[in-house]
Amino acid sequence: MSWSAAENDRRAANILMIGTVSAVNAGAARARVDFGDLQSPDLPVGQLRAGALSFWWLPQVGEQVLVGCPGGDIGQGVILCGIFAGNAPSSDAGVPLIALAGGVMRVEGSIEVTGDVTASGISLVGHVHGGVQGGPDNTGKPK
């Protein structure tokens, strides 16, 4: 096989690669990925949206990710998404889930919900207040 044919094969094999995040630079929105014997430079992290409507997601060290490398060049790679590797947060494919691992999600703007919202078992639509009195008194906490 000629050198150029081998180089073309190598580049084709590197167009999509699966690796493990080894370092995260949140200030630059980049991360470094290990692919076995090969380590990437700091790569940009792709987002679901990055304009006026935006999502901010950075992978964690140890997370498995899919990296797209235009022309098979890892130096131009972009981290496309995370991949569950035996650590899926649910076994129920019918129920979407966002697992924050004890963290906090911040929403800038308004949220409109057409159904109920439940927090710590208390329904926003169906909760009741006991001890309601007329006049300027406030009600108690939901029960």
Side-chain angles (χ1 to χ4, degrees):
M1 177 182 291
S2 72
W3 180 87
S4 69
E7 177 65 6
N8 286 339
D9 285 349
R10 183 193 66 78
R11 285 182 173 265
N14 288 350
I15 290 174
L16 286 176
M17 299 178 69
I18 295 174
T20 303
V21 174
S22 60
V24 176
N25 180 342
R30 292 177 173 262
R32 189 166 297 150
V33 180
D34 284 334
F35 303 102
D37 294 339
L38 179 65
Q39 186 175 76
S40 76
D42 283 357
L43 300 175
V45 178
Q47 301 295 324
L48 185 59
R49 294 281 306 268
L53 172 62
S54 61
F55 293 82
W56 176 245
W57 163 83
L58 287 179
Q60 294 180 334
V61 171
E63 184 175 345
Q64 193 172 33
V65 293
L66 178 65
V67 178
C69 303
D73 181 1
I74 295 170
Q76 296 182 45
V78 175
I79 298 172
L80 301 174
C81 64
I83 301 172
F84 287 115
N87 61 337
S90 174
S91 60
D92 187 346
V95 178
L97 172 68
I98 297 172
L100 298 176
V104 173
M105 179 181 287
R106 187 174 90 201
V107 177
E108 295 180 7
S110 300
I111 295 178
E112 183 177 320
V113 177
T114 58
D116 196 1
V117 174
T118 304
S120 297
I122 299 171
S123 162
L124 185 61
V125 172
H127 74 273
V128 296
H129 295 266
V132 176
Q133 299 175 8
D137 291 343
N138 292 324
T139 63
K141 291 184 179 181
K143 296 181 182 180

